[in-house]
Amino acid sequence: MTDNTSISSTTIARSILGVIEGLLPYALNAINSDTIGKIITVLQQIWPEIETEISDLATPVRNIIAALSGSAAATPDQLAALKALDQQTDAAFDAALADFNAAHPAA
Amino acid sequence: MFGLIVAFIAIIGLSAGGIAVVKEAPKAIPAISGAYEAVVNGTVPPALIVSAGNIFDAVEITGTHILKVCTPEARPAACDDTTLRKMAAAIKAGRPIRDGLEQFVADHPGKLGPKGAYDLLTQSISAIQQGIDAFNGAAS
């Protein structure tokens, strides 16, 4: 049986990630605070959907808002949050990949 | 969902040359100063490195969800093993780049980071995103 709920969630996630990914070039080319401000405003607008529909993405998006809202220098807190997220994310992915490989051995 | 639509409209506004759909940017947001010069000089502000690291984690989280959806025997038709294995390989390849960039930021507080490594990380993100897009395209 197809897990339609999961597919729906990944579709929403794709949409939101598309927005986030699309922001990077603008951030990189930003020459004034207005552009950065618009980027953050967009993220804040989609925040309710992120929080309710795909809570797993709430942490990275929150971190992005924090990083872009601060100064050019990343703070130790931001780095600590990112490293914690790295470990948690990697562990979850490794577990899912191990299950996938066990269920579907490479030919 | 309405918020998503508004967000996409805003993005279109940004990409269409700065037509500001979002009219009021927060006043108190400090600029990422010198970003233009950073691009020219082959360096990247640390805030963008941190953001890219978070985006990498976000696509990895989405990839994890897709693998879970595709693991049971009765799985959706959108699950293509070749695509999924490519996506997984891109995630594995991107991790050391992400980790290296984050370590650079930690070791060099306030310094601009190497754009070459940053570009590699964004390329990894794009490769993972292609796998996600392929899954969602097949699922829709």
Side-chain angles (χ1 to χ4, degrees):
Chain A
M1 181 179 165
T2 301
D3 188 341
N4 290 322
T5 302
S6 295
I7 290 178
S8 174
S9 293
T10 56
T11 301
I12 294 169
R14 175 207 176 205
S15 302
I16 291 177
L17 288 172
V19 171
I20 297 170
E21 194 180 8
L23 297 177
L24 267 190
Y26 300 109
L28 192 57
N29 289 299
I31 56 174
N32 59 53
S33 60
D34 278 355
T35 305
I36 298 295
K38 286 168 189 165
I39 289 170
I40 293 172
T41 302
V42 169
L43 288 176
Q44 288 170 336
Q45 283 178 332
I46 63 175
W47 179 254
E49 278 71 22
I50 293 172
E51 204 167 27
T52 56
E53 300 286 346
I54 40 173
S55 57
D56 285 356
L57 293 182
T59 299
V61 172
R62 190 186 303 123
N63 290 347
I64 293 165
I65 292 172
L68 291 179
S69 298
S71 67
T75 66
D77 284 351
Q78 289 171 358
L79 285 172
L82 181 51
K83 283 195 173 294
L85 178 65
D86 291 346
Q87 293 172 358
Q88 181 186 342
T89 304
D90 290 352
F93 176 80
D94 287 342
L97 182 60
D99 290 344
F100 175 83
N101 285 333
H104 309 282
Chain B
M1 195 57 70
F2 176 73
L4 270 181
I5 296 170
V6 172
F8 280 123
I9 292 171
I11 287 295
I12 291 168
L14 286 171
S15 60
I19 301 170
V21 174
V22 182
K23 291 182 178 171
E24 288 199 18
K27 304 280 185 191
I29 297 167
I32 296 181
S33 60
Y36 178 76
E37 290 77 5
V39 173
V40 172
N41 294 329
T43 52
V44 180
L48 287 189
I49 292 176
V50 171
S51 295
N54 279 292
I55 290 172
F56 181 89
D57 286 349
V59 292
E60 186 175 1
I61 289 169
T62 305
T64 301
H65 280 294
I66 291 174
L67 283 179
K68 286 180 178 176
V69 169
C70 292
T71 292
E73 195 163 322
R75 54 192 188 151
C79 300
D80 176 71
D81 280 5
T82 302
T83 300
L84 295 175
R85 291 188 200 286
K86 277 185 185 173
M87 181 187 72
I91 289 173
K92 293 272 191 183
R95 283 181 185 174
I97 303 168
R98 175 201 63 190
D99 294 344
L101 276 169
E102 290 171 13
Q103 193 59 49
F104 178 91
V105 174
D107 292 343
H108 304 84
K111 302 293 183 188
L112 298 175
K115 187 171 184 301
Y118 174 85
D119 286 344
L120 287 175
L121 183 59
T122 56
Q123 286 168 18
S124 291
I125 291 170
S126 294
I128 299 164
Q129 187 71 48
Q130 283 175 11
I132 295 170
D133 287 347
F135 173 85
N136 282 299
S140 60

